[in-house]
Amino acid sequence: MKLAYKAICIAGLVTASAVYASTTLSPNQNTQSGNIPSGYTDLKFILADGNWVKNIYLPNGAKNLDTVTIQSNALYKSYLDTSNTNLPIEALEIHRGDTFQFVYNSNLKKWEIFLATVYPINNSPIDHISFTNNKFQRVFLFDGRWAKKIVLPSNVIDGTLVQIISTATYSSEISTDNLLFPSSYRLNKGSEYWLKYNATLQKWVPEFIQPITLQVKDIGSNLNAVTAPLTEVNFADGNWVSNFTLPTTANDRDRVIIKSKASWTATINNTHTNTSATLSLKTGDQYEFMYVTDKAHWVLMSAPTKSVGANSQITPTLENMTQPILKVNISDANWKPNIKLPIKAQIGDKVILSSTAKTHSFITAENGLSATVQTGENRRFIYTSQGWNIDSYTIDMLLVNSPEVSRILGESAAKLRMIEGLNLTNLTAENSSAKFYLRQTGYLTYKIPAADLREAIAVGRSDVTVQTERKRVLADGVYYQGNEPGAGGCGWAWINLNPSAFNMIGANDIGCSVAAMRHEVGHNLGLYHDDSTQIGSGFSHPLGSTVMGGNSLNFYSSPYLYNLKYGVRLGEQGKKDGVSVINANALQISKFN
């Protein structure tokens, strides 16, 4: 029979603290604040209808074993900031009927949540774990309560979070049948996992994995195999090799992090990876790779970027590539009339030039490439088998802001809001390897005469004031920020499946997030929502959706991109590939004016 016990440390705490009278506090007694005060041995923070706060914060300091219990009887959800807790999630949703208890650990300087603890049946070949109704669970394996394999339940409420830890001498494993991906979920001595149940997917999703840490001197130049979902390989002085190669294969979505404190530079070999770019490992660098079984290679998930600041000297010929991306910020302080791209690079390397200088710079490369970088422009170049090629096109935008928005936000705030949306669009394009950047070439305070946003994008195509200014500033497209009703949506834009300058206009209401711009511009570049059967549709997923899906991730859809945290592929070959549509249309759109 499987029994659930309270964790020993918590049970002891409850007994020890019983002599203290608990103090009850509510938002109304706390100046309508969710900042829970310190100085209480046992504090209960109670939420109720009319006595509620949205955001809650635990004290940043307390005495060891101080306890805070949060209880809600309120209709509305609250959110607890978990940055000073042991929870591996950004925020804890607190619903009506929830009660959560935290105990302060002064050694860790963190609040630890109470976990209902379950132990396996000792020496079971397979133990199907059962949980209580508690939203936070712990499975604890140790000598005397050990199983060769544990199977997590699927009949639990959405959002249930489980910590799985082992101090047992013998290794075991977690069944991957109902996990998000069948990675190497072994349980060795010291293993720790936090998994969250997603009822929509009917899968347990990893939120935290304690990495297995290896010193490169102990494994040499070749990592022959990985034995955990997350492996960390460290370089340092006296702990260094000149070249390092990842394993030939691994289990699906296993990850390897490679980091260095060494004075000497090492090289990560491109063997078994999806990239041919330069992978030099220098002091302070960190790379992360993820193995994808159906592709049979390691995907480069993150890499260091070499940056030249706006106040740093720019050499006439940019230095040879040492990382996959070199970013150069050109300003009046470091402007050069002529800049030559690096002579030495590898296929897939990229150089990104961003300019705020008043005068343009002329760009050249060894293979004869020539281009200019103008004021306010971002240009990206990629190294290919033929040398450096242009990898992005500039789409110039006229930003039109309704005076009603300026009245509500103030003129400066209204303009900054549009610029923030433009910058976020550019970041998303860059993350996605989409071949465009937006550039603001004009700003107009003007109300398009329309009853709602859908009418505004129709009227704006031929509005004399808008189009005269568009022509004057040579803008390829128009984006409007208004305070009109959304006509069923907070933003609207024409879908430019066959790019047309006439239809290059989008709009959003100020009730929208600043992320609305990248979504509406996506329509202008030929993209559809996630419910479309068009190849340029967005990708929607419970763990995060691309711009044309739920717009929660800084990516357009592509079968070559992955959710950075969870490893979910963000598109489907030949079916959901918004980046391919953008890249087919970007050059033509950039030539509209």
Side-chain angles (χ1 to χ4, degrees):
M1 179 178 182
K2 305 184 188 74
L3 299 175
Y5 297 96
K6 292 182 179 179
I8 294 171
C9 62
I10 298 296
L13 168 65
V14 172
T15 302
S17 62
V19 296
Y20 298 101
S22 63
T23 301
T24 300
L25 192 66
S26 69
N28 290 350
Q29 296 170 312
N30 195 40
T31 65
Q32 287 78 50
S33 172
N35 291 291
I36 298 175
S38 59
Y40 295 93
T41 300
D42 186 3
L43 177 67
K44 291 182 179 178
F45 194 73
I46 310 295
L47 303 164
D49 292 338
N51 194 359
W52 171 87
V53 67
K54 181 177 181 180
N55 297 309
I56 302 174
Y57 304 88
L58 288 164
N60 284 325
K63 292 180 180 178
N64 192 45
L65 301 184
D66 279 359
T67 303
V68 171
T69 302
I70 301 172
Q71 180 180 326
S72 178
N73 298 307
L75 177 63
Y76 293 111
K77 288 189 294 186
S78 294
Y79 299 87
L80 174 70
D81 174 46
T82 59
S83 59
N84 59 351
T85 76
N86 67 330
L87 290 174
I89 52 178
E90 293 181 2
L92 170 61
E93 289 188 5
I94 301 173
H95 300 259
R96 172 177 280 184
D98 284 343
T99 298
F100 302 115
Q101 186 180 71
F102 293 87
V103 180
Y104 192 73
N105 185 320
S106 58
N107 291 327
L108 299 177
K109 296 183 179 179
K110 287 183 179 292
W111 292 91
E112 297 183 306
I113 194 165
F114 169 77
L115 300 167
T117 303
V118 178
Y119 308 97
I121 299 173
N122 196 33
N123 290 323
S124 299
I126 300 179
D127 193 351
H128 292 264
I129 301 296
S130 295
F131 286 156
T132 66
N133 291 327
N134 197 304
K135 285 186 178 179
F136 294 93
Q137 307 278 341
R138 175 190 284 141
V139 179
F140 187 20
L141 287 75
F142 60 93
D143 293 340
R145 297 302 295 268
W146 174 90
K148 187 174 183 180
K149 178 185 286 190
I150 64 169
V151 181
L152 295 176
S154 294
N155 58 339
V156 294
I157 61 174
D158 187 42
T160 297
L161 193 67
V162 58
Q163 180 194 42
I164 306 171
I165 55 177
S166 177
T167 62
T169 303
Y170 293 107
S171 65
S172 55
E173 62 180 313
I174 306 171
S175 170
T176 59
D177 290 347
N178 59 355
L179 303 191
L180 181 63
F181 293 110
S183 305
S184 301
Y185 282 98
R186 290 185 175 87
L187 282 162
N188 300 311
K189 190 172 186 177
S191 292
E192 180 183 0
Y193 301 95
W194 287 81
L195 304 173
K196 188 176 182 180
Y197 189 71
N198 187 290
T200 302
L201 298 173
Q202 296 185 324
K203 298 287 186 182
W204 288 94
V205 177
E207 293 291 342
F208 171 81
I209 297 169
Q210 182 68 40
I212 286 183
T213 303
L214 303 175
Q215 306 305 319
V216 73
K217 67 179 181 180
D218 297 327
I219 58 176
S221 296
N222 294 281
L223 180 60
N224 293 321
V226 294
T227 59
L230 181 59
T231 302
E232 184 179 291
V233 180
N234 291 313
F235 284 63
D237 291 341
N239 175 34
W240 181 85
V241 294
S242 59
N243 288 274
F244 186 76
T245 303
L246 290 160
T248 304
T249 188
N251 285 329
D252 199 25
R253 268 55 173 193
D254 281 349
R255 299 197 189 211
V256 173
I257 293 174
I258 306 170
K259 56 172 62 175
S260 179
K261 294 181 180 179
S263 302
W264 297 90
T265 298
T267 298
I268 302 172
N269 295 320
N270 302 98
T271 312
H272 315 312
T273 75
N274 71 327
T275 180
S276 299
T278 302
L279 305 177
S280 294
L281 182 68
K282 303 193 297 183
T283 306
D285 284 351
Q286 176 174 310
Y287 291 82
E288 182 171 349
F289 296 87
M290 180 181 74
Y291 192 78
V292 179
T293 300
D294 65 331
K295 299 294 185 181
H297 61 213
W298 293 91
V299 172
L300 179 61
M301 298 295 286
S302 66
T305 296
K306 171 69 176 177
S307 295
V308 177
N311 293 317
S312 300
Q313 184 68 23
I314 298 175
T315 56
T317 299
L318 297 177
E319 64 182 88
N320 292 332
M321 300 295 294
T322 57
Q323 277 100 12
I325 297 175
L326 169 63
K327 285 190 174 182
V328 180
N329 295 285
I330 306 169
S331 67
D332 288 332
N334 67 0
W335 174 80
K336 288 282 188 299
N338 296 288
I339 299 174
K340 192 173 185 178
L341 296 175
I343 294 172
K344 185 179 180 181
Q346 293 180 194
I347 293 173
D349 285 343
K350 295 179 181 180
V351 172
I352 300 169
L353 303 173
S354 300
S355 180
T356 59
K358 294 183 178 66
T359 308
H360 72 265
S361 294
F362 189 61
I363 310 301
T364 59
E366 287 280 291
N367 63 332
L369 175 143
S370 62
T372 57
V373 178
Q374 300 178 350
T375 304
E377 195 171 24
N378 297 294
R379 297 296 302 271
R380 187 169 68 241
F381 302 88
I382 186 168
Y383 196 79
T384 70
S385 58
Q386 287 78 45
W388 288 104
N389 281 346
I390 292 171
D391 195 45
S392 69
Y393 305 99
T394 301
I395 297 175
D396 290 327
M397 299 295 292
L398 169 63
L399 305 182
V400 181
N401 176 64
S402 170
E404 293 180 4
V405 176
S406 297
R407 189 184 71 250
I408 296 168
L409 300 180
E411 184 64 35
S412 295
K415 185 174 183 178
L416 286 172
R417 194 174 189 278
M418 297 197 80
I419 293 172
E420 186 180 356
L422 184 145
N423 289 338
L424 183 59
T425 304
N426 286 343
L427 172 66
T428 303
E430 190 173 292
N431 289 346
S432 307
S433 294
K435 295 181 184 293
F436 81 96
Y437 289 102
L438 302 182
R439 176 176 61 163
Q440 176 198 342
T441 55
Y443 183 84
L444 177 66
T445 299
Y446 173 72
K447 178 175 170 54
I448 295 178
D452 56 46
L453 290 179
R454 182 165 55 182
E455 185 180 349
I457 66 168
V459 171
R461 294 180 299 179
S462 52
D463 182 271
V464 173
T465 301
V466 171
Q467 294 303 322
T468 298
E469 183 65 7
R470 177 187 183 182
K471 186 175 182 179
R472 187 186 73 82
V473 299
L474 301 177
D476 302 305
V478 175
Y479 198 84
Y480 178 64
Q481 177 176 260
N483 190 38
E484 293 85 352
C490 72
W492 286 84
W494 295 99
I495 299 175
N496 253 337
L497 184 60
N498 297 306
S500 158
F502 182 61
N503 288 329
M504 190 65 188
I505 182 171
N508 71 256
D509 179 83
I510 57 168
C512 299
S513 158
V514 293
M517 182 184 288
R518 67 184 182 186
H519 179 96
E520 304 309 334
V521 167
H523 285 312
N524 283 169
L525 295 174
L527 304 188
Y528 290 79
H529 290 155
D530 59 292
D531 57 359
S532 170
T533 58
Q534 296 283 340
I535 189 173
S537 62
F539 175 81
S540 182
H541 194 274
L543 298 177
S545 303
T546 62
V547 168
M548 308 309 292
N551 199 6
S552 61
L553 299 176
N554 294 329
F555 295 101
Y556 292 102
S557 64
S558 169
Y560 303 105
L561 299 172
Y562 296 84
N563 184 309
L564 296 177
K565 181 175 182 180
Y566 299 112
V568 175
R569 186 177 288 126
L570 300 179
E572 188 176 354
Q573 191 78 39
K575 293 183 178 180
K576 287 186 177 292
D577 190 357
V579 172
S580 70
V581 173
I582 290 173
N583 292 349
N585 293 335
L587 175 59
Q588 182 180 349
I589 292 171
S590 72
K591 294 180 177 180
F592 281 162
N593 268 314

